[in-house]
Amino acid sequence: MEAQKPMRLSRPSTSFRLRSASLNAVRLRRIFDLFDHNGDGEITVEELALALDRLGLGADPSDLIFTVESYIQPGKKGLAFEDFEALHSALGDALFGPAKDGGEEEKEDGEMEEAFKVFDEDGDGFISEAELQAVLAKLGLVEGRSMARVHEMICSVDRNHDGRVDFNEFKGMMRSISLKSA
């Protein structure tokens, strides 16, 4: 059986950095918590490599060390959340130029569409239980192991009770998360 090569992105996704600061903060915190495998409040190079590998974006640990070492505070073994934010911001600036202010709803919707597409694997305009479970499993989340838990998650967002999440339901969920964190 042929070994699977890590997937490489040909160009950075426009959803790398949301222009809505509150959505970006929520998303970054969630990503940080996912990458912090042992829950100690720091992301080590090993945890970062594991997370990227699970996402199919394998990276050479020596490249990761080179990229993140200047963001790790003296005496620490990994990135604290604030360090992770600084690294994310620097990478965003390097890839896309400095962040621009302006929470224009149209731009925010475009970015939410990009995020939605991550879950809508078959591109039919809906997130099914199977698609949500697949993404959660890829991220190594325990919720991805239980179809009952996935069903609960879908039902909590599914306003029209069709058993799937459409873009407007997804957008409403994302905005409510943003408002709760503000």
Side-chain angles (χ1 to χ4, degrees):
M1 190 154 128
E2 192 176 316
Q4 216 177 12
K5 288 184 176 180
M7 183 169 65
R8 301 280 182 212
L9 295 176
S10 58
R11 75 184 213 331
S13 168
T14 56
S15 67
F16 177 83
R17 178 176 60 208
L18 296 174
R19 287 170 186 85
S20 170
S22 59
L23 283 177
N24 206 26
V26 169
R27 183 181 67 165
L28 271 181
R29 185 71 221 193
R30 286 185 169 195
I31 291 169
F32 180 87
D33 291 342
L34 289 171
F35 285 15
D36 182 15
H37 191 69
N38 64 3
D40 67 354
E42 292 182 4
I43 300 174
T44 63
V45 171
E46 293 79 17
E47 288 172 321
L48 186 57
L50 175 66
L52 292 173
D53 187 53
R54 284 182 173 166
L55 292 169
L57 302 170
D60 182 355
S62 61
D63 290 340
L64 287 175
I65 290 170
F66 178 76
T67 302
V68 303
E69 71 184 347
S70 64
Y71 291 89
I72 298 173
Q73 298 299 316
K76 299 286 185 173
K77 293 181 181 177
L79 298 164
F81 180 68
E82 295 75 23
D83 307 326
F84 184 68
E85 274 185 309
L87 173 62
H88 181 266
S89 178
L91 289 172
D93 290 351
L95 293 170
F96 306 109
K100 294 180 176 111
D101 287 334
E104 299 159 13
E105 193 169 328
E106 190 175 303
K107 288 181 183 178
E108 185 178 305
D109 281 355
E111 290 164 349
M112 280 197 210
E113 286 175 22
E114 289 290 319
F116 182 81
K117 288 176 187 176
V118 170
F119 292 91
D120 180 19
E121 292 184 324
D122 65 6
D124 69 352
F126 299 96
I127 301 170
S128 68
E129 290 180 5
E131 289 171 320
L132 179 58
Q133 184 179 34
V135 172
L136 295 173
K138 284 179 190 175
L139 292 171
L141 296 174
V142 83
E143 290 89 345
R145 296 185 203 144
S146 165
M147 188 53 89
R149 179 66 184 122
V150 170
H151 178 75
E152 288 174 24
M153 294 170 79
I154 292 282
C155 287
S156 72
V157 177
D158 182 17
R159 299 291 174 233
N160 64 1
H161 308 290
D162 66 353
R164 327 176 278 187
V165 176
D166 63 33
F167 177 68
N168 287 326
E169 292 165 335
F170 178 81
K171 188 167 63 170
M173 177 200 64
M174 292 301 290
R175 287 194 172 141
S176 73
I177 290 169
S178 174
L179 292 173
K180 288 176 188 172
S181 70

